[in-house]
Amino acid sequence: MKNKHYRRWTQEEIDFVRKSRKKGMKWREICQKLELLYSRKTTPTNISRFVRPRKKPVKVEKVVEEIVEPKEKKWASNRCAYTPQQELGIMVDFPNLSIDEMREKYQRDYRALAGRYEDIWDSEEPSRIALVMEASHVVALRKAEEEEDATEPRMGWFERRRMRRVARKAAKIQKRLDRMATKYGAILTKGDE
């Protein structure tokens, strides 16, 4: 239900509010002057709307869709020419290297490398079978070299336990010797002076 006695704000009243606010008057003082000069009762929140900047209508611009070219893949998956050395390398390295290492070494997608590995492994062609045999020979040589490099034989649990106990006893005896050396060494130096 609308109030019948509502008076619209005149431009003169609005200008008065704006000028008073620019002079630095407080909202409450402006309300009192409005009541005296224009006989309008109002609140500070009501008159603050005349000083606040009005919201400007938002302009909607027409958006033109740009055709975004797909990024070029780091490794082209459509390359299929593998050299015999690369095929042998894939057969030897595939079980041992990580995915990232394989990508970096051969500069191809891992899926392509895995597919090539499976194609060679599952093939019944004589050239591919020879390749698999050569790869197994290289892997066997690598394992033999690794076994030669291992200096200590692998010890069982009981041997490792015995070694730990001996090491603990040796550390305990060394600690006692160090303590005695500092104690008696200090006594000897004091007595010599």
Side-chain angles (χ1 to χ4, degrees):
M1 199 168 142
K2 290 189 176 182
N3 190 353
K4 293 181 182 179
H5 302 288
Y6 177 75
R7 264 189 329 155
R8 288 189 161 269
W9 285 77
T10 63
Q11 190 61 39
E12 185 181 345
E13 293 169 334
I14 294 172
D15 291 340
F16 174 77
V17 170
R18 288 181 180 156
K19 286 177 186 175
S20 302
R21 189 62 185 168
K22 282 184 183 177
K23 289 179 184 176
M25 291 176 66
K26 295 186 178 178
W27 293 113
R28 187 67 59 196
E29 295 171 359
I30 297 172
C31 290
Q32 291 169 355
K33 287 215 176 188
L34 274 172
E35 191 174 348
L36 289 173
L37 295 173
Y38 300 103
S39 65
R40 176 179 286 279
K41 284 191 172 185
T42 186
T43 61
T45 54
N46 193 13
I47 61 172
S48 66
R49 63 190 170 121
F50 297 120
V51 179
R52 288 189 202 135
R54 291 184 177 180
K55 292 182 180 177
K56 295 179 181 177
V58 179
K59 293 181 181 178
V60 179
E61 294 180 12
K62 199 172 188 180
V63 178
V64 179
E65 292 183 25
E66 295 179 14
I67 299 173
V68 179
E69 295 181 19
K71 287 185 177 179
E72 186 177 327
K73 290 185 179 179
K74 193 172 182 180
W75 300 287
S77 60
N78 58 357
R79 291 189 288 172
C80 57
Y82 289 87
T83 63
Q85 290 82 16
Q86 284 179 333
E87 288 182 343
L88 179 64
I90 291 171
M91 292 302 294
V92 171
D93 293 335
F94 192 82
N96 302 327
L97 295 181
S98 70
I99 294 172
D100 294 331
E101 291 170 339
M102 287 290 286
R103 284 182 188 153
E104 290 301 317
K105 184 172 182 180
Y106 295 102
Q107 295 296 311
R108 295 175 193 241
D109 188 26
Y110 188 74
R111 183 183 296 158
L113 294 170
R116 191 60 166 203
Y117 178 79
E118 286 185 16
D119 289 344
I120 295 170
W121 188 258
D122 293 337
S123 178
E124 295 182 10
E125 294 178 19
S127 61
R128 298 266 174 96
I129 293 172
L131 186 66
V132 171
M133 296 297 287
E134 188 176 351
S136 65
H137 181 68
V138 171
V139 170
L141 287 175
R142 281 189 185 175
K143 282 187 181 179
E145 288 176 7
E146 287 176 6
E147 288 174 3
E148 288 175 7
D149 290 344
T151 55
E152 294 182 10
R154 186 170 174 177
M155 294 187 290
W157 185 79
F158 286 108
E159 288 86 5
R160 290 193 309 262
R161 180 178 174 210
R162 189 179 310 128
M163 294 292 286
R164 283 194 304 265
R165 287 172 60 198
V166 169
R168 268 198 309 267
K169 285 182 182 178
K172 191 175 182 181
I173 292 170
Q174 186 63 41
K175 187 176 177 183
R176 189 179 301 154
L177 287 172
D178 291 342
R179 206 174 326 136
M180 290 171 62
T182 56
K183 180 179 178 181
Y184 294 120
I187 290 171
L188 289 177
T189 56
K190 287 180 182 176
D192 291 341
E193 294 176 357

